[in-house]
Amino acid sequence: MQGPRQTACMFLLLFLLPACTTKREEASPQTHAESTDEITEVRTQLLRKSDFRKEIISQGSLQARAAVEVTSTVTEPVVELLVANGSLVEPGQLLIRLDDRELQREIRKLELALEKVKRERDKQLIAKLGYGFSTGDSARIPADVLHLVNLDAGYPETLLELEEARERLRDYHIRAPIRGRVADVQAEPMNPPGSGPLLLLLDDRVLEAVFPVLENHLADMKSGDRVRISPLSGGDDCFGPITDINPRVSEGGMILVRARIDNPQGKLLDGMKCQVAVEKVIPDQLVIPKSALVMRDNRKVIFYFEDGEAYWQYVATPYENSSSYAITGEDGEALPEGKEVIVEGNMNLAHESKVVKTDG
């Protein structure tokens, strides 16, 4: 049987037990703080206002500004192919020669026929004007007499047939209509041309980047805005202005845009795939590199460096490009300039983490 003293002790223990448990639970945040007391090396940069290049990103392809399919209406075989894929040609340069022997014979026959017609015409003129008249002195021939004699002799018809045959001869000598680079050669020596193009001429000194953008970006673009072109195959970026915005929205909600790209060295090719960034300059923005932004609980956070500690700041990113963000406070409020933002070493930081700056 328990005495009064034992009962009082048990009562006192039961009273103190919850208090001890509460103290241990309250101590756990302190324990966590001590466990995160490790010093992290970080790199920083000052937060300053500058112009921000907003980018509308798309993918498209490059097209030569001028592209001409070279075809032939002649069915005679190719006897000479003077160019190959990649050849650079000038306007009027001979590209392909077709077998013109049959037409040359026809032209010779017509030339002989015209000589006979001229002799017959001269005989008729002498008969009408007398032997004292010289047929080479055309100024003395009355116009009406010359017209009737020409008709009687068949001079206009024969002359016209000869001119038409000489015109057809040009179709057998296929020349470059524009300056350009030869592509898609289909012509083969000793074979007829076929019904399709013999080759394609591309004037690739100037290319067009053709790309779609969402209709909600239309207000952010206008002709003349600068575009950055990055070939997917690699190589240097190049720049040019928007030249055309098609005033029609497709069923998918896209608008087709064109930009001009100079290509004096011929490094860019017709049909190349490319990434396109339409750049829009927005002044007086606080700009950070993308590496400065981290996510915490699905919210955007940057860390300031102050006196060896990291202090987080929730932010919004109204503008973005391929390398940077323009930032404001989470509710759109302005942020102070001149603070040091941690741009490297911030992935595992917490509020008030111990940090040290490095030059790396």
Side-chain angles (χ1 to χ4, degrees):
M1 190 169 181
Q2 294 178 345
R5 182 175 296 180
Q6 290 177 321
T7 302
C9 289
M10 290 180 64
F11 180 80
L12 182 61
L13 286 171
L14 290 171
F15 177 80
L16 292 175
L17 184 59
C20 293
T21 304
T22 303
K23 281 188 177 182
R24 280 198 300 271
E25 290 175 349
E26 291 176 351
S28 60
Q30 181 65 30
T31 302
H32 176 71
E34 289 174 358
S35 67
T36 59
D37 209 24
E38 177 183 349
I39 298 177
T40 303
E41 292 185 348
V42 298
R43 193 168 65 84
T44 68
Q45 74 176 41
L46 290 178
L47 189 61
R48 298 291 188 191
K49 282 189 175 181
S50 63
D51 289 345
F52 182 80
R53 292 192 177 276
K54 177 184 176 181
E55 294 177 347
I56 301 170
I57 304 297
S58 181
Q59 284 200 358
S61 61
L62 300 179
Q63 296 179 4
R65 286 288 296 272
V68 178
E69 290 183 341
V70 176
T71 60
S72 175
T73 58
V74 176
T75 59
E76 299 299 329
V78 175
V79 295
E80 196 172 11
L81 178 61
L82 301 170
V83 293
N85 282 327
S87 298
L88 191 61
V89 298
E90 297 297 328
Q93 182 175 331
L94 184 61
L95 307 176
I96 298 171
R97 190 167 64 85
L98 304 176
D99 187 355
D100 62 357
R101 289 175 295 178
E102 186 66 32
L103 182 59
Q104 291 283 13
R105 285 192 288 269
E106 181 182 342
I107 290 173
R108 182 59 183 154
K109 290 178 181 178
L110 288 170
E111 288 173 344
L112 292 173
L114 187 63
E115 288 297 322
K116 291 181 179 179
V117 167
K118 286 181 178 179
R119 287 173 60 85
E120 180 63 29
R121 182 190 63 177
D122 291 347
K123 288 179 182 179
Q124 293 187 32
L125 286 172
I126 290 172
K128 287 181 178 294
L129 301 175
Y131 283 99
F133 174 76
S134 172
T135 57
D137 190 3
S138 59
R140 293 178 54 194
I141 304 174
D144 57 339
V145 172
L146 181 61
H147 178 67
L148 290 174
V149 170
N150 280 338
L151 288 177
D152 290 342
Y155 179 79
E157 295 92 332
T158 307
L159 180 61
L160 182 60
E161 288 179 13
L162 179 59
E163 290 175 349
E164 289 176 344
R166 287 172 175 168
E167 285 286 338
R168 294 203 309 274
L169 185 61
R170 296 179 185 176
D171 296 336
Y172 288 74
H173 298 163
I174 299 174
R175 300 181 180 275
I178 63 169
R179 183 264 184 207
R181 196 175 304 278
V182 176
D184 296 345
V185 174
Q186 300 297 322
E188 296 182 5
M190 308 312 297
N191 285 280
S195 58
L198 296 172
L199 54 85
L200 182 66
L201 277 184
L202 302 169
D203 188 350
D204 57 2
R205 291 172 297 180
V206 177
L207 298 172
E208 283 186 333
V210 183
F211 56 97
V213 297
L214 289 168
E215 60 180 298
N216 57 2
H217 290 312
L218 180 60
D220 294 326
M221 294 186 306
K222 66 179 185 301
S223 292
D225 283 351
R226 193 172 86 148
V227 170
R228 186 181 76 249
I229 304 297
S230 304
L232 297 186
S233 59
D236 297 334
D237 292 347
C238 48
F239 301 86
I242 290 177
T243 57
D244 180 79
I245 301 174
N246 190 24
R248 181 175 179 272
V249 180
S250 70
E251 291 184 0
M254 308 299 285
I255 296 173
L256 197 64
V257 182
R258 296 176 182 267
R260 188 184 73 245
I261 306 298
D262 292 330
N263 186 35
Q265 298 179 349
K267 293 183 178 180
L268 302 175
L269 302 181
D270 178 80
M272 267 187 170
K273 303 301 181 184
C274 59
Q275 185 183 69
V276 183
V278 181
E279 298 183 343
K280 188 81 171 180
V281 176
I282 303 174
D284 297 327
Q285 299 294 312
L286 291 175
V287 180
I288 60 169
K290 284 194 167 181
S291 61
L293 187 76
V294 294
M295 300 298 293
R296 296 290 186 268
D297 298 328
N298 292 321
R299 297 167 73 183
K300 298 175 180 178
V301 173
I302 62 171
F303 285 93
Y304 293 131
F305 175 88
E306 292 183 12
D307 299 327
E309 292 186 331
Y311 295 90
W312 71 19
Q313 167 74 55
Y314 291 114
V315 296
T317 55
Y319 305 115
E320 174 184 0
N321 61 30
S322 57
S323 62
S324 308
Y325 294 108
I327 62 169
T328 65
E330 192 176 37
D331 296 325
E333 70 275 17
L335 296 176
E337 291 186 77
K339 286 195 171 186
E340 286 187 89
V341 176
I342 296 174
V343 297
E344 287 185 12
N346 52 356
M347 292 304 297
N348 297 314
L349 294 181
H351 188 58
E352 297 182 345
S353 292
K354 302 297 184 183
V355 293
V356 61
K357 290 193 294 183
T358 67
D359 296 330

